[in-house]
Amino acid sequence: MIKLSKVYITGVGMTRVADHWDKDLKDLFMEAANKALADSIETHMDALYIANMCAGLAYQQENLASMLATYLNVDAIPAFRIEAGEASGAAAVLQAYQAIKSGLFDTAMVVGVEKLSDLPSTKLTLTISTTADSEYDLKNGATIQAIYAIIMKQYMNKFKATREQIAQFAVQMHRNAVKNPYAYLRFEINLKSILKAPPIAEPITLYDEAAMTDGAAAIILSRNQPKNQVSVAIEGIGVASAPHQIGLRHNLTEMACTTLAAKKAYKIAGINSSEIDIVEVHDNYTITGITSIEDLGFFKKGEAAKAVEQGLIAPDGELPVNVSGGLKARGHPLGATGVYQLAELTLQLRGEALEAQIPDVETALAHNMAGTGSLCITTILRRIK
Amino acid sequence: MRPSSPVGIFGWGGYIPKYRIKGEEIARIWGKSPDYSLRLGVKEKAVAGPDEDTTTIAYEAAYNALLRAQIDPKEIGAIFVGTESKPYAVKPTGTIVAEALGATPNLLCADFEFACKAGTEALQCCIGLTASGMIKYGLAIGADTAQSAPNDPLEYSAASGGAAFIVGRANADAAAIIHATYTYVTDTPDFWRRQGQPYPKHGERFTGMPAYFRHIREAAEGLMEELGLTPLDINYVVFHQPNGKFPLRAARMLGFTIEQVNPGLLVPEIGNTYSGSSPLGLAAVLDIAKPQETILVVSYGSGAGSDAFYITVEDAIEEKRNLAPKIRDYIERKCYIDYATYAKYRGKLVFG
């Protein structure tokens, strides 16, 4: 029987998620890539995987990977751009992981990069909405925001969750982001400001939504275990899709893709949800943060909103969720978000997350999702002693 | 930039049309929350009437400045009108104003365009021409009937109004002295209107930090550093006022207090008069400032640039102050109109 190699994350590099007015896609890419290379023992990359969702629509730039590879100054590197909506980051990592696992490559760099701050809001809204079903949802007026508003309403009705409990998720995210030097919104907000913020799609207000802007995160994957630093390995990746059209879903308060992807990842890693020490979830809206921590198996259905209110997901709670600040406050550079999650968890596992460090993190989970829950990729990382 | 000899403000004046539309009324039409415009720090805005345009506003403001300057209009050697709403694409606004004031024919005349800072640029040119002795007095005007597309966030603020200043070599008749000016300009495309387009477009959040705040800050700090001043040395500070929030945030960033900003902060009551915005703020401050007080004015024009001025108030201001209507008089003279009337007055109804 062929023993497949482990895949290690041997280097990470991030730009701060911010409105980088003076930087374009390649500047952001280069900053993250160079930081990851400086952080890694590896000096040679066999392949480059770019995670990006918007370059084609926003900047008329397809074939992005070879364009960016040009600036990396490495000869003839195989380069790919992976697009899977907002799950592009985790999807690109999966591709690199498979290639190394199979023996095709020994090392690979994955860079998630997105440049959104230049887009007018109408164009940005349209771009994001293309991850929903263009024919059945979008053209009938169901924007991403409208669909999540329906989900939030259903959740509140079904589980008697209060608006305040759901908004508390955003309060916690902002509190967490204060300690993350890579976060976009490093300030605290209170419940009142969330509830009184301009409505986007009732009951969702502006402060329920993830903050979308620029950023690049890079990780280096390798079959070689680093000798001089704590090793972080990818223990399992689970992927599942769900019906794209919202009308085909049987249950709006559960993201079936998350439930299935999590089960697969736990099975591959040989663990269950109780063994996860820290988690980064795809909270593109506060309600998604709530449903995701249920669907990943950390809380029973309908109980997460109360758990958030009780502080169970705080850094000193039972299960620290989005210590980075999450999509809400670390920021959501769409296609790059999944790579940020893994870079941040790697720092936690290595004990290098500085002020945001959670003690004794052994096992971590990242949850990256696309559209309104049509695709989910769940990745489990573990510190190897 | 310091003039080779001191330049004084001999007359100042403003004009604000009497029509007002409330932000709430605009929000009603577009299905926005009633407090939408309050979040931008704008309660209501001034709207030019059907028989008003940038030329009439410029004239009214200039006439008030002339009343305070008490000079023969023939002594005015230059009239520059800064605006982005010229009634004629080709034909100067300034010549109409000059003829109406009786200042023709021996004078320089031109219209300036630099988004919302064209008025202060006109002032800088007048400073240069008078300080050098080429002309005796210069008349600088910033005036606009600001355009904004229906249902654009700009529609809650884009307003009509203007202010004028007559400057010349300083003497005892000067109401104030302009000691120095400082300009900071870059190519920053945050707001623009292309040829033939009726309404401007803007880059939303790009209009903030890399545009307004960067240029305001650089110009203000550049001037204060050059003159060895700190915010504590200044009694009043006037910034360009695109909305009610930006000037207050700029003040905080630079270390000014709300008390230093408030006297010149007109946007909550009249909206953003584009080229007239910071000039009207300065005029409002001159209406109340006492001799020996100091003023910092920092304009902002998209595209982008900021002009900063350091001004001290002189004794002669007291005898000039009441010679013309004050900005506060115009703010309080108002007549509310509904959206339909506003749309008619501002030419927003397109027939056929």
Side-chain angles (χ1 to χ4, degrees):
Chain A
M1 184 176 151
I2 301 168
K3 186 167 175 7
L4 298 175
S5 73
K6 266 197 182 300
V7 177
Y8 299 93
I9 297 177
T10 66
V12 302
M14 292 176 270
T15 69
R16 183 179 171 192
V17 179
D19 299 333
H20 289 284
W21 303 116
D22 54 347
K23 294 186 177 117
D24 64 11
L25 272 171
K26 66 176 181 299
D27 297 325
L28 295 165
F29 161 78
M30 286 302 291
E31 185 179 331
N34 284 331
K35 281 181 177 175
L37 284 167
D39 184 53
S40 176
I41 50 164
E42 303 292 348
T43 53
H44 174 80
M45 292 297 112
D46 287 338
L48 172 67
Y49 291 85
I50 299 297
N52 173 273
M53 175 180 144
C54 303
L57 269 174
Y59 297 100
Q60 295 76 50
Q61 181 64 65
E62 301 292 7
N63 198 10
L64 184 65
S66 56
M67 187 276 267
L68 292 176
T70 308
Y71 295 92
L72 204 56
N73 200 23
V74 283
D75 285 339
I77 188 170
F80 316 93
R81 179 260 185 116
I82 308 297
E83 190 279 310
E86 300 95 326
S88 300
V93 172
L94 174 64
Q95 301 308 312
Y97 170 82
Q98 287 174 165
I100 293 170
K101 200 94 176 154
S102 70
L104 180 64
F105 300 134
D106 290 331
T107 57
M109 180 191 279
V110 184
V111 186
V113 59
E114 207 75 76
K115 174 75 190 167
L116 304 171
S117 59
D118 292 344
L119 300 182
S121 54
T122 45
K123 192 167 182 182
L124 182 58
T125 300
L126 183 67
T127 303
I128 304 158
S129 292
T130 57
T131 62
D133 195 293
S134 175
E135 186 175 359
Y136 288 96
D137 292 337
L138 187 55
K139 284 181 185 166
N140 289 306
T143 58
I144 290 274
Q145 292 92 336
I147 293 169
Y148 277 107
I150 294 168
I151 293 170
M152 193 194 282
K153 274 187 181 174
Q154 281 220 354
Y155 186 93
M156 288 166 67
N157 288 336
K158 193 168 173 182
F159 301 114
K160 305 295 173 221
T162 66
R163 183 68 188 81
E164 287 78 9
Q165 286 172 332
I166 294 170
Q168 189 62 36
F169 193 93
V171 173
Q172 186 63 55
M173 293 305 103
H174 275 260
R175 202 172 285 155
N176 293 357
V178 171
K179 292 185 177 178
N180 178 3
Y182 299 105
Y184 179 36
L185 307 178
R186 299 186 67 194
F187 54 85
E188 294 203 26
I189 57 172
N190 58 33
L191 264 183
K192 195 177 160 194
S193 65
I194 299 167
L195 303 178
K196 290 213 155 193
I200 290 179
E202 204 270 320
I204 291 178
T205 72
L206 185 66
Y207 290 179
D208 282 298
E209 191 175 28
M212 284 167 273
T213 191
D214 315 329
I219 61 174
I220 291 171
L221 302 187
S222 170
R223 67 169 64 244
N224 305 313
Q225 183 172 7
K227 291 191 176 61
N228 299 326
Q229 65 182 45
V230 178
S231 303
V232 174
I234 297 176
E235 291 291 289
I237 304 180
V239 190
S241 62
H244 204 209
Q245 300 161 34
I246 202 73
L248 294 178
R249 307 269 177 86
H250 298 295
N251 181 357
L252 287 182
T253 56
E254 177 188 342
M255 296 291 178
C257 64
T258 296
T259 311
L260 284 170
K263 278 183 184 163
K264 288 181 188 178
Y266 292 139
K267 190 175 175 190
I268 295 166
I271 62 170
N272 61 50
S273 62
S274 65
E275 293 175 64
I276 301 292
D277 298 317
I278 182 173
V279 58
E280 285 286 324
V281 298
H282 190 93
D283 58 319
N284 54 346
Y285 292 88
T286 47
I287 185 62
T288 327
I290 304 269
T291 59
S292 297
I293 52 178
E294 293 173 349
D295 299 338
L296 291 166
F298 301 121
F299 298 96
K300 284 184 186 161
K301 224 41 227 175
E303 292 185 1
K306 202 172 175 188
V308 171
E309 190 180 37
Q310 291 169 340
L312 301 185
I313 68 158
D316 59 352
E318 277 180 19
L319 177 74
V321 173
N322 292 359
V323 176
S324 66
L327 280 61
K328 173 70 193 82
R330 178 245 285 120
H332 184 25
L334 300 175
T337 291
V339 187
Y340 268 97
Q341 292 177 323
L342 294 172
E344 282 152 349
L345 289 175
T346 299
L347 291 179
Q348 285 283 348
L349 288 158
R350 283 172 19 185
E352 296 172 5
L354 307 173
E355 218 188 329
Q357 183 66 46
I358 304 295
D360 306 321
V361 180
E362 297 279 337
T363 311
L365 181 145
H367 163 253
N368 195 195
M369 201 173 73
T372 50
S374 52
L375 180 73
C376 176
I377 303 173
T378 303
T379 307
I380 294 172
L381 304 182
R382 181 175 281 166
R383 183 168 68 180
I384 306 295
K385 290 170 185 167
Chain B
M1 293 184 280
R2 295 196 208 197
S4 51
S5 58
V7 168
I9 297 175
F10 288 82
W12 75 96
Y15 178 78
I16 301 163
K18 72 173 180 180
Y19 298 107
R20 299 284 184 281
I21 183 166
K22 291 188 175 181
E24 211 177 304
E25 170 68 2
I26 300 172
R28 180 179 71 83
I29 296 300
W30 299 115
K32 294 271 170 43
S33 156
D35 65 350
Y36 184 87
S37 76
L38 291 180
R39 290 198 203 113
L40 302 169
V42 183
K43 286 184 279 193
E44 54 198 43
K45 67 170 190 173
V47 180
D51 57 354
E52 292 182 309
D53 62 12
T54 292
T55 311
T56 67
I57 291 170
Y59 169 77
E60 296 277 2
Y63 181 74
N64 285 336
L66 200 54
L67 287 177
R68 288 195 172 101
Q70 293 188 295
I71 59 164
D72 180 350
K74 298 284 183 203
E75 291 184 302
I76 297 173
I79 296 182
F80 298 132
V81 182
T83 182
E84 52 184 287
S85 49
K86 277 162 61 78
Y88 293 89
V90 179
K91 183 199 175 330
T93 308
T95 52
I96 308 172
V97 176
E99 194 77 47
L101 289 174
T104 50
N106 296 117
L107 78 166
L108 301 172
C109 202
D111 290 359
F112 286 11
E113 190 283 310
F114 193 144
C116 295
K117 91 169 182 80
T120 54
E121 204 135 32
L123 182 57
Q124 287 174 324
C125 291
C126 287
I127 292 170
L129 286 164
T130 53
S132 67
M134 285 180 70
I135 61 172
K136 188 169 183 187
Y137 294 110
L139 170 58
I141 307 170
D144 259 309
T145 53
Q147 312 97 339
S148 58
N151 198 24
D152 189 298
L154 277 181
E155 194 177 27
Y156 295 85
S157 57
S160 304
F165 302 90
I166 293 172
V167 297
R169 277 198 182 186
N171 60 34
D173 287 334
I177 291 176
I178 304 171
H179 295 270
T181 178
Y182 187 101
T183 291
Y184 186 85
V185 169
T186 70
D187 179 20
T188 304
D190 59 323
F191 173 107
W192 63 94
R193 181 166 64 84
R194 297 189 80 114
Q195 287 288 1
Q197 289 180 341
Y199 302 118
K201 292 185 174 171
H202 53 91
E204 299 185 4
R205 58 178 152 166
F206 186 70
T207 60
M209 208 48 81
Y212 178 88
F213 293 107
R214 176 188 172 197
H215 292 80
I216 290 262
R217 183 179 197 151
E218 293 286 350
E221 287 182 344
L223 182 64
M224 288 196 289
E225 193 183 324
E226 204 171 284
L227 299 178
L229 297 169
T230 73
L232 293 174
D233 301 314
I234 288 156
N235 295 102
Y236 305 97
V237 62
V238 177
F239 297 113
H240 173 56
Q241 303 164 27
N243 55 53
K245 293 164 93 174
F246 276 25
L248 294 177
R249 193 168 165 199
R252 277 198 302 276
M253 285 167 68
L254 287 160
F256 290 97
T257 64
I258 196 161
E259 289 74 23
Q260 289 165 292
V261 183
N262 265 343
L265 188 68
L266 310 180
V267 64
E269 293 176 287
I270 64 164
N272 173 11
T273 54
Y274 286 19
S275 301
S277 177
S278 51
L280 267 170
L282 171 59
V285 167
L286 290 173
D287 282 347
I288 58 157
K290 295 182 182 61
Q292 280 75 59
E293 288 190 319
T294 56
I295 307 167
L296 176 70
V297 180
V298 193
S299 66
Y300 174 72
S302 291
S306 278
D307 303 325
F309 300 84
Y310 176 63
I311 298 166
T312 56
V313 181
E314 303 301 315
D315 293 341
I317 198 163
E318 300 290 8
E319 62 206 47
K320 291 173 180 279
R321 210 190 302 274
N322 296 322
L323 297 179
K326 298 191 179 69
I327 302 303
R328 183 48 55 188
D329 298 331
Y330 285 112
I331 291 174
E332 282 164 12
R333 180 197 72 144
K334 58 186 172 184
C335 168
Y336 288 106
I337 55 174
D338 61 10
Y339 193 90
T341 310
Y342 156 75
K344 179 180 150 189
Y345 285 1
R346 297 306 312 130
K348 294 195 173 203
L349 300 173
V350 180
F351 302 96

